[in-house]
Amino acid sequence: MKISNPADGTVITEVTADNATAVRRKYELARAGQPKWARVPLKKRLATIANFRERVVTMRETLARTLTHEVGKPIRQSRNELNGVLGRIDFFLAESAATLRDEKVFADSGQKLLERIGHEPLGVIANISAWNYPYFVGGNVFVPALLAGNAVLYKPSEFATLTGIHIAELLHDAGVPRDVFVPVIGDGMTGAALLRQPVDGVFFTGSLATGAKIAARAGERMIKVQLELGGKDPIYVCEDVDIAAAAAAVADGAFYNTGQSCCSVERIYVHESIHDAFVRAFVDEVRGYKLGDPMDETTYIGAITRRPQLDVLKKQVADAKRKGARLLIGGNIVKRKGNWFEPTVLADVDHSMALMKDESFGPIIGIEAVADDDAAVDLMNDTEYGLTAGVYTKDERRAKRILARVNAGTVYWNCCDRVSPRLPWSGVKHSGMGLTLSTYGIQTFTRPKAWHLKSAS
Ligand code: NAD
């Protein structure tokens, strides 16, 4: 399998993908390793993950450079991801003992009865991952899954393979046995082969189209399935905001990671009374974004990781223009080696346009004027997705009223494109099922076992 640099199209290296036989062997390895790992005291498993954290810190610059090379993410944003994953690891290290501890829920000395809940590992799980934030979306799964005593068959995206290999090396080096964290290398065919193994659960991050196939496969097997899928995340800007500050914050939410985040801002609704001023401030902000070599410290807009996405972006812009949208900046594929698209802003958009309905997953955004809060809420909810949604206003009560009516897994007041390890990360409708992060995101890698204990004496 060729690993290419999306910033210039050059082949970085070639790796051997796992075929069906190799996948089977890896599954058997993990199946044999898991019970031993589950018997390792939690203290020791925690120490192993703490070792992994130390190695990430030591290797941070190398890891950031590899990530930038293979996905085209600006180097500063790669470093941010690595710094961010440390906070998530810290959360799991701090919370796992209390979350995984057996819970005594009832005791009656008269009946000599004790009721207890135990938290057992699921067993061998498949962790099929995306490329856009491989440390985040991978780490949200494999760190708590390993702490809970599972073996993990980890399939990084074919667009983040070298990062996946780094992660495996660091975990093994830190003391996670090779038969407990097992990287499975390849593309969708390898992922499909992995799901033909009798794994005990599948934890997937990626597109709706692939997620639907995975859910169908898991349904046949009656195994736990978790899907973290796409979004079409809206922001509503009310008329009472500081326009320049709101425009800068929302533009960052839309264009950070070159718009290739599951929780990128994908639609903006602005109160009609400030619409024109907001649009001007927004376009000014976007004009300042530097597109270029992802290794350059000053670059903000990097490459588009998957080449076919260029066509999706081009078609969304053309469709919007044909239906009456006004192109304010950008709109084109950049003519240079590799995969590049100009940061693009369109106004006078509406929901007849794919731009406002389908996930763009790139540096393009539409801005629509709304008359009032009710109209904004209706439009925010007019989507098949439901990952995040946010509102910018000075009025806390108004924000909470609006956000209570929005159907999304995560809601933001005066912020966006934000993930916290302390809060559950989940989507409604086509944004997925299940969750990661928070203490629920530790428990999700366990099966509760009910103990009814009656003493005979
Ligand atoms: P993708 O669906 O193309 O691929 C995801 C993974 O699935 C890859 O590892 C791929 O090799 C594998 N795969 C493909 N076909 C398969 C099959 N038939 N069986 C098993 N595995 C298969 O998605 P992507 O391009 O890597 O990621 C982008 C998508 O991920 C976007 O839609 C984005 O919104 C979403 N995403 C969601 C979250 C979240 O937390 N909700 C986070 C990051 C990304």
Side-chain angles (χ1 to χ4, degrees):
M1 189 170 70
K2 285 194 172 72
I3 312 289
S4 304
N5 181 341
D8 58 16
T10 55
V11 174
I12 305 170
T13 185
E14 287 187 30
V15 298
T16 308
D18 287 315
N19 61 19
T21 313
V23 172
R24 176 79 200 169
R25 260 202 328 269
K26 289 189 168 183
Y27 163 75
E28 284 165 358
L29 188 71
R31 180 56 78 195
Q34 190 272 328
K36 286 178 279 172
W37 179 243
R39 284 195 296 273
V40 170
L42 178 58
K43 252 196 173 146
K44 178 119 189 273
R45 294 202 297 264
L46 286 164
T48 312
I49 295 298
N51 279 341
F52 169 66
R53 185 196 189 284
E54 259 176 47
R55 282 162 173 77
V56 172
V57 173
T58 313
M59 292 286 290
R60 183 161 28 194
E61 193 55 26
T62 309
L63 302 177
R65 285 171 172 269
T66 301
L67 181 56
T68 289
H69 263 128
E70 68 179 338
V71 306
K73 190 192 291 265
I75 186 70
R76 293 171 76 105
Q77 298 178 17
S78 291
R79 286 192 202 111
N80 288 350
E81 183 176 346
L82 282 152
N83 291 334
V85 85
L86 299 178
R88 297 192 187 186
I89 295 172
D90 289 341
F91 172 82
F92 290 127
L93 290 176
E95 297 296 330
S96 289
T99 308
L100 297 171
R101 191 174 296 138
D102 279 10
E103 297 164 60
K104 192 163 89 177
V105 289
F106 183 75
D108 184 315
S109 52
Q111 291 183 65
K112 297 181 187 154
L113 176 67
L114 185 72
E115 293 177 357
R116 218 173 67 194
I117 303 172
H119 302 287
E120 305 211 327
L122 296 172
V124 176
I125 64 149
N127 173 192
I128 300 180
S129 206
W131 49 264
N132 62 335
Y133 282 103
Y135 288 97
F136 283 163
V137 299
N140 290 354
V141 173
F142 64 72
V143 172
L146 289 170
L147 287 173
N150 298 280
V152 179
L153 288 158
Y154 170 63
K155 200 201 84 59
S157 162
E158 57 273 37
F159 298 100
T161 300
L162 301 180
T163 293
I165 292 171
H166 271 320
I167 287 172
E169 284 168 355
L170 293 180
L171 281 166
H172 294 155
D173 205 32
V176 178
R178 285 172 188 280
D179 55 1
V180 169
F181 186 84
V182 188
V184 176
I185 301 302
D187 60 13
M189 301 238 299
T190 305
L194 177 53
L195 290 187
R196 285 196 290 275
Q197 308 310 314
V199 292
D200 300 305
V202 50
F203 294 77
F204 171 79
T205 310
S207 63
L208 171 61
T210 312
K213 286 187 208 160
I214 286 180
R217 193 83 216 158
E220 290 162 13
R221 310 282 292 273
M222 296 289 171
I223 55 171
K224 174 154 188 169
V225 57
Q226 252 190 219
L227 306 170
E228 302 209 338
L229 310 176
K232 190 71 194 167
D233 297 0
I235 288 291
Y236 169 37
V237 184
C238 299
E239 70 286 355
D240 63 350
V241 297
D242 171 336
I243 293 179
V250 177
D252 185 45
F255 290 95
Y256 190 82
N257 209 37
T258 315
Q260 300 174 111
S261 308
C262 52
C263 53
S264 286
V265 175
E266 290 243 343
R267 301 178 279 151
I268 302 171
Y269 304 101
V270 183
H271 194 278
E272 59 189 11
S273 61
I274 60 158
H275 173 266
D276 294 357
F278 179 86
V279 167
R280 267 196 307 278
F282 192 90
V283 171
D284 275 353
E285 183 70 22
V286 173
R287 193 169 287 119
Y289 289 160
K290 186 171 160 209
L291 174 150
D293 179 3
M295 280 303 188
D296 186 325
E297 297 288 335
T298 61
T299 292
Y300 180 78
I301 300 286
I304 301 297
T305 308
R306 290 176 60 256
R307 193 164 180 78
Q309 201 65 17
L310 292 175
D311 203 41
V312 173
L313 298 172
K314 200 172 86 179
K315 284 192 174 133
Q316 286 196 356
V317 172
D319 168 70
K321 278 168 67 183
R322 200 173 44 247
K323 291 174 179 160
R326 222 167 6 112
L327 178 65
L328 301 174
I329 186 168
N332 299 301
I333 293 174
V334 182
K335 290 192 183 66
R336 58 187 278 168
K337 276 193 194 153
N339 317 328
W340 298 88
F341 203 91
E342 294 170 342
T344 298
V345 182
L346 294 125
D348 300 344
V349 296
D350 63 43
H351 280 214
S352 70
M353 302 167 186
L355 174 70
M356 298 301 276
K357 300 287 275 187
D358 302 339
E359 190 177 45
S360 305
F361 223 59
I364 73 176
I365 188 87
I367 305 178
E368 181 169 353
V370 292
D372 54 30
D373 296 358
D374 286 344
V377 169
D378 285 350
L379 287 169
M380 288 164 101
N381 283 333
D382 180 27
T383 172
E384 66 183 37
Y385 292 107
L387 194 59
T388 82
V391 58
Y392 280 70
T393 172
K394 291 198 173 115
D395 182 340
E396 180 174 355
R397 286 177 56 190
R398 180 176 175 190
K400 287 181 175 162
R401 252 191 337 262
I402 293 167
L403 294 175
R405 293 168 62 197
V406 170
N407 196 11
T410 289
V411 292
Y412 304 116
W413 175 39
N414 291 336
C415 55
C416 58
D417 190 24
R418 179 177 193 278
V419 180
S420 162
R422 297 168 293 277
L423 293 172
W425 187 246
S426 69
V428 298
K429 299 194 274 183
H430 283 176
S431 289
M433 49 200 259
L435 59 92
T436 51
L437 298 175
S438 78
T439 52
Y440 294 100
I442 300 172
Q443 269 186 10
T444 196
F445 298 100
T446 65
R447 173 183 303 115
K449 188 166 189 171
W451 295 79
H452 303 241
L453 302 170
K454 205 152 182 190
S455 141
S457 53

